Amino acid sequence: MAAERTLILFKPDAVQRRLCGRLLTRIEERGLKIVGLKMLQVTPELSREHYAEHVEKPFYPQLEEFITSAPVIALCVEGPEAIQVMRGMMGKTNGRESAPGTIRGDYGVSRQMNLIHGSDGPEAAAREIGIYFSDSELFDYDPTLAPWTCADD
Ligand code: IDP
């Protein structure tokens, strides 16, 4: 199975609540590979670029206020079907509707402050990785654990 990349953000609530270590551990323990990672402050301009599809929606001003309220941690995560695997780990948008065992279902009850962003498809992943990472900030290295995490693929 070909490896796929996805853009993940640990949102300001995850940073403020000191949950980033737990979220990173979940991703690593699942067997996914971190190929890029950095902390940054999202600006209003970056927020509008990232959330272009939501800019006209009534909740956008609140979303921009939230996502710019503290730094985020951006990750590029790689693995077989990484986009869907991460969406499954994240759970539904609204923490109250998200199943126990998912990140949003285990750590939140908010629709807006839902801890984590993950690209929702291949086109979004390519676009979002390009927004947050330059080529030199993404790393190719030997996946030495791959025979132990996805040998049947
Ligand atoms: P997703 O993050 O689960 O893919 P999207 O619909 O793409 O969900 O929404 C982007 C982000 O906007 C959500 O993660 C959440 O933080 C925020 N959001 C979505 N819908 C609402 C809403 O109705 N009220 C407030 N914030 C919302």
Side-chain angles (χ1 to χ4, degrees):
M1 168 96 34
E4 184 174 68
R5 288 182 171 183
T6 186
L7 188 278
I8 300 298
L9 294 182
F10 297 159
K11 293 182 177 181
D13 51 338
V15 173
Q16 291 283 19
R17 292 174 57 192
R18 278 69 160 166
L19 289 171
C20 295
R22 288 172 196 262
L23 303 190
L24 185 60
T25 296
R26 283 184 180 227
I27 294 169
E28 289 196 310
E29 287 183 343
R30 187 73 191 266
L32 294 169
K33 187 176 148 193
I34 311 300
V35 296
L37 190 155
K38 63 166 126 172
M39 179 176 253
L40 72 146
Q41 174 66 48
V42 176
T43 61
E45 295 71 31
L46 177 56
S47 173
R48 283 195 292 276
E49 188 179 4
H50 177 155
Y51 286 122
E53 65 174 314
H54 296 312
V55 166
E56 299 303 328
K57 295 188 181 160
F59 65 81
Y60 179 76
Q62 267 186 303
L63 173 59
E64 183 183 295
E65 191 179 338
F66 164 53
I67 204 71
T68 60
S69 64
V72 301
I73 291 180
L75 302 100
C76 183
V77 171
E78 185 182 285
E81 298 182 63
I83 296 169
Q84 280 318 308
V85 169
M86 279 305 311
R87 294 286 294 185
M89 288 174 70
M90 288 161 48
K92 291 187 179 173
T93 303
N94 187 336
R96 297 189 289 282
E97 296 167 1
S98 216
T102 64
I103 288 168
R104 289 167 169 174
D106 283 351
Y107 295 119
V109 288
S110 169
R111 183 171 49 186
Q112 178 177 262
M113 294 199 185
N114 55 11
L115 298 152
I116 186 165
H117 167 83
S119 308
D120 65 5
E123 278 179 27
R127 188 180 77 85
E128 293 170 4
I129 291 166
I131 291 175
Y132 285 90
F133 290 98
S134 63
D135 285 349
S136 65
E137 293 173 324
L138 297 171
F139 296 86
D140 265 324
Y141 56 94
D142 257 356
T144 51
L145 278 182
W148 304 98
T149 56
C150 52
D152 55 335
D153 301 303

